[in-house]
């Protein structure tokens, strides 16, 4: 089954043609990171307008390559995300569905991130699965009993973990997005003298990252006042400490969920799953293989939307030319 997946919920425009939710025929991503980096974060109206431009040029590419001829359906992110950005993708998908006379269905972006784990994978993934979704907007721990049965076990009570990577990087003037920059700089640290806190909400699988964010920014300001400017060595030590605390917090709850629910597989997905320290630490902690999609499928992309549509079997239901957007859609909703 050939499904065209369209993703435009935030600041990346992704379109992909995927066969049976696993084999990528064509995958295109236009990132707006450079445009938003001048503002230090995403500007919603700018993002929506950029999707209009990007989708036009991507779909022309697909048409010129004759990739739209045999598709069986169009799957598009319906939420959660920025309303303006979602509207652009959903309307594009509906127009395509009408023009090509194929069905269109809306997909939950969070299901997309989790289903990226199935793409290009030869080994079977068995249920129940514990999935940790960590990105710029999400930090959610869930239990999947099947592709369509997701139970939210825990989520952040304040900031998302990726958002905190971005804010701490900004406080140090390191640029945007902060995650990859912090990841690279922390490798230069030789210090493991921890000064920052690891938050652990007891009797809950929820996360909280605002305490670590505030403590990090306060510590950065104090050091700046003391020394005038942070040396490269101080920067790498601070980001190492911050990253270690953030990743340990993620792993404490993941370990707790694995002990409670005894899953057959573990998936870690979303932009923060690209973090090299996280990838190293899971090897120490879990005996079973932890599935992490390849980095280009961890970030927002169209292929994951196509994979979710295939495995959720959404085209068994009727087409959705009246499809609306759902900016606050939660992980459990189909
Ligand atoms: O999944 P994603 O592309 O977009 C959202 O849906 O949010 O995730 C982007 C987030 C950003 O906050 C970025 O700083 C973070 O993922 N990120 C990382 C790394 N690469 C991206 N965080 C930590 N380490 C990384 N290597
Ligand atoms: Zn995302």
């Amino acid at each position: 089954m050939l499904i065209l997946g369209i993703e435009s919920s935030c600041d990346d425009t992704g379109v992909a043609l995927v066969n049976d939710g696993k084999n990528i025929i064509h995958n295109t991503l236009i990132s707006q990171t450079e445009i938003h980096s001048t503002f230090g974060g995403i500007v919603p109206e700018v993002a929506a307008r950029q999707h209009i431009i990007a989708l036009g040029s991507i779909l022309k590419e697909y048409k010129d390559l004759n990739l739209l001829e045999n598709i069986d359906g169009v799957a598009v992110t319906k939420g959660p995300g920025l309303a303006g950005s979602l509207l652009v993708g959903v309307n594009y998908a509906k127009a395509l569905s009408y023009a090509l006379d194929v069905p269109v269905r809306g997909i939950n972006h969070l299901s997309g991130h989790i289903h990226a784990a199935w793409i290009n994978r030869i080994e079977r993934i068995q249920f129940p699965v514990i999935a940790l979704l960590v990105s710029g907007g999400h930090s959610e721990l869930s239990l999947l009993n099947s592709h369509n049965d997701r139970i939210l076990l825990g989520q952040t009570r304040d900031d998302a973990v990726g958002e905190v990577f971005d804010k701490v990087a900004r406080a140090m003037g390191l640029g945007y997005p902060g995650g990859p920059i912090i990841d690279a700089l922390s490798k230069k640290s030789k210090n493991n003298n921890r000064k920052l806190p690891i938050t652990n909400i007891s009797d809950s699988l929820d996360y909280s990252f605002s305490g670590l964010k505030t403590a990090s920014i306060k510590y950065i300001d104090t050091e700046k006042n003391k020394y005038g400017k942070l040396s490269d060595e101080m920067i790498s030590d601070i980001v190492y400490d911050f990253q270690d605390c953030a990743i340990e917090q993620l792993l404490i709850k993941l370990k707790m969920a694995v002990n409670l629910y005894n899953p057959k597989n573990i998936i870690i997905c979303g932009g923060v799953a690209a973090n090299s320290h996280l990838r190293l630490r899971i090897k120490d902690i879990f005996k079973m293989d932890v599935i992490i999609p390849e980095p280009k499928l961890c970030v927002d992309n169209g292929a994951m939307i196509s994979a979710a549509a295939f495995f959720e079997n959404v085209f068994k239901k009727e087409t959705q030319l009246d499809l609306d957007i759902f900016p606050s859609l939660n992980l459990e909703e189909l």
Side-chain angles (χ1 to χ4, degrees):
M1 186 173 202
L2 269 179
I3 300 174
L4 188 78
I6 298 179
E7 158 60 38
S8 73
S9 65
C10 194
D11 63 337
D12 292 311
T13 318
V15 177
L17 190 61
V18 181
N19 191 25
D20 287 351
K22 282 193 160 210
N23 306 313
I24 296 179
I25 311 294
H26 203 70
N27 190 10
T28 315
L29 187 73
I30 295 184
S31 167
Q32 304 175 9
T33 303
E34 225 172 280
I35 296 164
H36 296 287
S37 65
T38 53
F39 304 103
I42 296 159
V43 184
E45 190 185 326
V46 173
R49 287 170 185 267
Q50 289 299 319
H51 287 306
I52 298 176
I53 299 166
L55 277 173
S57 72
I58 297 174
L59 267 308
K60 181 175 181 316
E61 173 198 333
Y62 277 64
K63 191 166 178 282
D64 291 347
L65 292 170
N66 296 326
L67 291 171
L68 300 176
E69 283 176 2
N70 298 313
I71 65 174
D72 296 299
V74 179
V76 60
T77 303
K78 63 179 176 182
L82 301 169
S85 290
L86 290 166
L87 273 173
V88 175
V90 163
N91 281 312
Y92 231 102
K94 285 203 244 182
L96 265 178
S97 151
Y98 192 72
L100 300 172
D101 196 22
V102 293
V104 61
R105 296 287 309 182
I107 299 296
N108 186 327
H109 177 79
L110 307 179
S111 172
H113 270 301
I114 295 170
H115 281 96
W118 273 262
I119 300 172
N120 292 337
R121 193 171 171 83
I122 298 156
E123 300 86 3
R124 253 187 88 201
I125 299 177
Q126 287 180 284
F127 295 105
V129 165
I130 289 284
L132 173 63
L133 165 51
V134 276
S135 71
H138 299 275
S139 319
E140 274 141 353
L141 203 46
S142 61
L143 172 71
L144 273 78
N145 290 312
S146 71
H147 291 288
N148 301 60
D149 179 2
R150 300 184 288 271
I151 298 163
L152 183 64
L153 302 176
Q155 61 188 323
T156 182
R157 293 191 184 175
D158 37 62
D159 298 342
V161 61
E163 185 187 346
V164 176
F165 268 87
D166 296 337
K167 285 183 177 159
V168 168
R170 186 159 72 180
M172 300 175 92
L174 298 177
Y176 173 86
I181 302 170
I182 288 180
D183 193 351
L185 287 175
S186 68
K187 290 194 179 118
K188 296 182 185 155
S189 172
K190 293 180 184 72
N191 179 16
N192 39 36
N193 179 12
R194 173 169 294 140
K195 299 201 171 60
L196 299 172
I198 296 178
T199 311
N200 184 10
I201 302 171
S202 55
D203 301 327
S204 167
L205 288 169
D206 279 350
Y207 291 114
S208 166
F209 291 99
S210 70
L212 174 61
K213 176 187 72 181
T214 308
S216 304
I217 294 174
K218 229 168 135 182
Y219 182 65
I220 292 162
D221 288 344
T222 312
E223 295 297 284
K224 271 192 200 158
N225 288 337
K226 229 194 293 177
Y227 300 102
K229 187 174 173 278
L230 299 178
S231 67
D232 289 351
E233 196 183 336
M234 286 159 89
I235 290 175
S236 59
D237 287 347
I238 296 170
V239 296
Y240 178 87
D241 192 0
F242 159 76
Q243 174 177 268
D244 191 44
C245 291
I247 299 300
E248 283 315 307
Q249 186 186 161
L250 290 176
L251 293 175
I252 289 169
K253 298 301 180 190
L254 178 59
K255 214 158 69 177
M256 208 167 132
V258 168
N259 289 339
L260 281 169
Y261 295 97
N262 205 14
K264 292 224 170 69
N265 276 118
I266 302 170
I267 293 171
I268 306 183
C269 54
V272 181
N275 185 270
S276 60
H277 185 65
L278 170 72
R279 286 174 181 248
L280 266 181
R281 286 289 292 129
I282 51 174
K283 288 205 180 103
D284 299 336
I285 297 177
F286 298 105
K287 280 190 206 85
M288 78 175 89
D289 205 16
V290 175
I291 303 161
I292 304 182
E294 58 188 282
K296 74 170 197 286
L297 298 173
C298 278
V299 296
D300 290 350
N301 65 86
M304 69 186 199
I305 301 306
S306 182
F310 176 78
F311 288 107
E312 285 186 8
N313 202 4
V314 295
F315 291 106
K316 71 170 189 257
K317 295 185 204 141
E318 67 200 46
T319 188
Q320 286 182 311
L321 276 175
D322 59 348
L323 175 64
D324 198 356
I325 57 159
F326 301 88
S328 309
L329 195 68
N330 75 44
L331 181 135
E332 294 183 352
E333 287 172 281
L334 293 176

